[in-house]
Amino acid sequence: MSMHRKTITLTEQQDCWVKSQIESGQFGNDSEYIRYLIRRDQQAQERIAVLRKALAEGESSGKPKALDVSAIKATGRQRMKAAD
């Protein structure tokens, strides 16, 4: 994987935060921490995309049906008994 150098500008508060994360021992340098943040953001964006897709599928799946809470509870109880 090739690496690309980027220049970023941080506020003093942000710079102090990054330094504190490095001093805590979790990260070796600024770059490791920034890459960690980018990976977390990518994962969050992927989760949001999956959720949006599920919502769209739900909306296009037809008319909603009445919710039977008693049946849901009964199914849950059966699953709990089966797991024991």
Side-chain angles (χ1 to χ4, degrees):
M1 173 187 307
S2 66
M3 302 294 265
H4 299 272
R5 181 174 295 277
K6 300 286 183 187
T7 301
I8 62 169
T9 304
L10 304 174
T11 66
E12 188 168 339
Q13 180 184 16
Q14 291 168 333
D15 188 51
C16 288
W17 177 258
V18 171
K19 287 177 182 175
S20 73
Q21 297 305 299
I22 295 164
E23 290 169 0
S24 74
Q26 292 182 288
F27 305 95
N29 56 44
D30 296 19
S31 293
E32 284 183 18
Y33 183 58
I34 300 300
R35 286 192 299 269
Y36 164 78
L37 293 175
I38 291 170
R39 282 191 302 274
R40 276 191 33 201
D41 186 50
Q42 288 171 324
Q43 292 166 349
Q45 294 302 319
E46 288 171 11
R47 286 191 301 272
I48 289 170
V50 168
L51 180 57
R52 285 185 175 142
K53 181 180 178 195
L55 288 170
E57 288 173 0
E59 288 173 344
S60 65
S61 68
K63 289 189 173 190
K65 298 176 184 172
L67 187 64
D68 184 352
V69 176
S70 297
I72 293 170
K73 287 180 179 179
T75 301
R77 288 185 186 107
Q78 288 174 349
R79 287 182 181 176
M80 288 177 67
K81 284 181 183 178
D84 287 342

